[in-house]
Amino acid sequence: MEGTHFAERLTPIFARINSLVSYLQSFEVKRKVYVNPLGSLNDKFFRGSILFQCIFDSKRREVFAAGGRYDSLVQDFRPSVLASRSQTHAVGFNLSWDVLSSIMVEYVKTPMRTSSKYVEAEMGAFWKTRRCDVLVASFDPTVLRETGVKLTQDLWANDISAELAVDASSLEELLVKYKEHNHSWIVIAKQDSKERGFKVRCLVPKEEFDIRNTELIPWLRNEIRARNTREGTTDNSRYARLSQSEANAAVSERANDVRILVPQHRSKKTNRRNIVESGRLNPEIVPSRLTKTALLRSREVVEKALEGPIAAIDTRDDLLDAIRDTRLSDPDSWRAVIQNAPLTERKYLGQVQDLLLDLASESRADGAETSSNAFIYNFRTGSCINYDLKTGNDR
């Protein structure tokens, strides 16, 4: 074959396959991918590009979806007056709705079984009205295909729905191309993004932020949680779901009024029972030369304090010390702490303040004050402080 025109035609074919495999590896695709260079029945439709099929990986290997890149097909039907314009790209596929419908009916009727080959994501995760949350873009084609691909894969690995944008020269061009896709954020990568971070454009409301590389995923996760709260939707990500064992532990734990506020931008899972057990207080009353009455009274004060609720939070110890110096009766003290905190912690600290206000309000329910203090336990470091729940309305 060497020296013939067939050899010249093989070079771009294998270059295309190598490029495709490279992208599959960069996106860390876990599904099996079979490459079949001679598998196209209508090769003229996909000339110069690829055909793909989605199949059931069983003995019969039935096809339930098929499609490909139709660039050449579109080019053949393009009017000659448009020949001077850039080439139009097109991707399409045919989905067998009958097969999909029958599979869904069978799935609903069949008890849940765990596959020995794959751990499938929950069915609800596939049916979302929003195309995806984040659009990863760059105005430099090289950065888009390197940093952009890596960032998209990182977002996927952290259960944040994202897609890679097409080549564009400006933000306005991106907004025009994706105006119907309902993205919530556009993350723009630059050549120096590894050192200086990313520019994030929030579409609703229209705001721009400069976020450091290490803070991007926690920031996005926190923003997604806040958006879902505003919209009244449920966060189906794996970071927002408690395991069944954790839920059972939460039901059985009733010794103290323990409130746990877990931030969604933390990637590690939290074991509620461990938090409660490690945060339980066992103060020792050391006898002294005080009279018996004074000793008894001091014990009563401590025992009453032990009835206070516990707020388990996840933050840094320097911020916990700053919270110690605040007062619920002084909103300015809380405002100063929140404004001086890192950007990714500010909303969470506001939620901590709201939680303490709720505890203070509940402690005065029905006109009887059940407790005037609360314990704030930092389950990231194990530190714990006693916090005064009195507000300006307390006497």
Side-chain angles (χ1 to χ4, degrees):
M1 187 178 293
E2 185 177 355
T4 66
H5 68 283
F6 294 106
E8 297 178 356
R9 294 175 60 184
L10 285 176
T11 301
I13 293 175
F14 283 103
R16 182 70 171 178
I17 294 176
N18 287 333
S19 176
L20 176 63
V21 173
S22 176
Y23 277 111
L24 291 174
Q25 292 174 342
S26 298
F27 283 118
E28 297 187 10
V29 175
K30 305 300 182 183
R31 299 284 184 177
K32 290 183 179 179
V33 178
Y34 301 94
V35 179
N36 187 1
L38 304 178
S40 175
L41 299 178
N42 299 306
D43 61 299
K44 61 181 180 180
F45 290 169
F46 314 100
R47 187 171 62 250
S49 196
I50 61 170
L51 159 72
F52 59 83
Q53 294 178 329
C54 301
I55 62 175
F56 294 106
D57 194 12
S58 58
K59 293 182 179 180
R60 298 180 61 182
R61 290 190 177 174
E62 296 177 297
V63 177
F64 66 89
R69 289 285 297 267
Y70 293 93
D71 299 19
S72 298
L73 182 63
V74 173
Q75 192 72 16
D76 289 343
F77 287 93
R78 196 175 190 181
S80 57
V81 294
L82 301 178
S84 60
R85 296 188 181 181
S86 59
Q87 183 180 0
T88 301
H89 302 286
V91 178
F93 69 95
N94 179 28
L95 177 64
S96 176
W97 283 106
D98 293 337
V99 176
L100 180 61
S101 176
S102 61
I103 292 174
M104 292 176 64
V105 171
E106 183 180 353
Y107 177 86
V108 172
K109 293 181 178 179
T110 305
M112 181 66 70
R113 295 188 299 267
T114 303
S115 173
S116 59
K117 288 188 176 182
Y118 309 107
V119 179
E120 299 288 353
E122 291 187 8
M123 289 292 292
F126 293 101
W127 309 102
K128 295 182 179 179
T129 56
R130 197 185 310 273
R131 178 180 173 90
C132 66
D133 292 324
V134 181
L135 178 67
V136 178
S138 178
F139 306 136
D140 185 326
T142 302
V143 174
L144 180 66
R145 286 157 179 78
E146 294 178 359
T147 306
V149 169
K150 179 63 170 62
L151 175 59
T152 304
Q153 193 280 323
D154 288 341
L155 294 176
W156 290 351
N158 285 274
D159 208 26
I160 297 176
S161 60
E163 67 172 323
L164 195 65
V166 299
D167 290 326
S169 58
S170 66
L171 179 61
E172 290 71 20
E173 185 178 350
L174 283 174
L175 294 175
V176 171
K177 287 184 177 181
Y178 292 95
K179 64 180 180 179
E180 303 295 336
H181 292 190
N182 296 324
H183 298 107
S184 296
W185 298 273
I186 300 178
V187 178
I188 301 175
K190 300 180 180 180
Q191 290 183 347
D192 57 353
S193 288
K194 292 183 179 180
E195 295 78 20
R196 304 188 62 180
F198 299 92
K199 182 176 290 294
V200 181
R201 174 66 180 261
C202 179
L203 300 182
V204 180
K206 293 183 179 180
E207 298 175 327
E208 282 193 359
F209 303 94
D210 291 317
I211 308 297
R212 294 179 181 176
N213 191 10
T214 56
E215 297 179 354
L216 178 63
I217 290 177
W219 184 86
L220 282 173
R221 194 176 296 143
N222 197 37
E223 290 295 311
I224 291 173
R225 179 165 55 91
R227 182 204 64 191
N228 292 342
T229 301
R230 291 194 305 268
E231 296 179 353
T233 57
T234 303
D235 188 355
N236 291 320
S237 67
R238 63 175 179 267
Y239 297 100
R241 294 191 294 267
L242 286 174
S243 67
Q244 187 63 38
S245 60
E246 291 170 333
N248 293 337
V251 173
S252 61
E253 185 59 54
R254 288 291 183 267
N256 289 85
D257 183 9
V258 181
R259 307 295 178 86
I260 296 179
L261 184 62
V262 180
Q264 298 302 312
H265 62 267
R266 302 296 174 198
S267 61
K268 59 185 179 181
K269 292 185 178 179
T270 303
N271 187 305
R272 189 181 192 278
R273 179 170 293 277
N274 289 343
I275 295 172
V276 174
E277 292 298 331
S278 59
R280 195 181 300 282
L281 301 175
N282 296 299
E284 297 179 359
I285 306 299
V286 181
S288 64
R289 296 180 180 179
L290 298 175
T291 63
K292 184 178 181 180
T293 304
L295 181 58
L296 180 61
R297 179 57 182 158
S298 64
R299 286 180 175 176
E300 290 176 354
V301 172
V302 173
E303 289 175 358
K304 181 174 178 58
L306 285 176
E307 296 176 359
I310 301 173
I313 67 174
D314 182 8
T315 188
R316 300 176 347 199
D317 274 347
D318 59 327
L319 294 179
L320 184 66
D321 291 336
I323 292 175
R324 186 204 304 269
D325 297 331
T326 63
R327 293 292 180 269
L328 293 179
S329 58
D330 183 10
D332 290 338
S333 63
W334 273 97
R335 190 176 299 111
V337 171
I338 294 174
Q339 290 178 350
N340 292 329
L343 180 63
T344 55
E345 299 277 356
R346 292 179 183 176
K347 285 190 176 181
Y348 182 62
L349 289 177
Q351 293 172 340
V352 173
Q353 181 187 12
D354 293 339
L355 174 61
L356 294 174
L357 287 170
D358 290 341
L359 294 177
S361 177
E362 293 174 9
S363 69
R364 298 187 301 274
D366 300 328
E369 185 179 53
T370 57
S371 60
S372 60
N373 71 295
F375 297 102
I376 304 179
Y377 172 62
N378 183 11
F379 57 83
R380 187 192 301 184
T381 63
S383 301
C384 187
I385 64 172
N386 185 22
Y387 190 82
D388 187 0
L389 290 178
K390 292 181 180 179
T391 63
N393 297 327
D394 297 333
R395 297 184 183 275

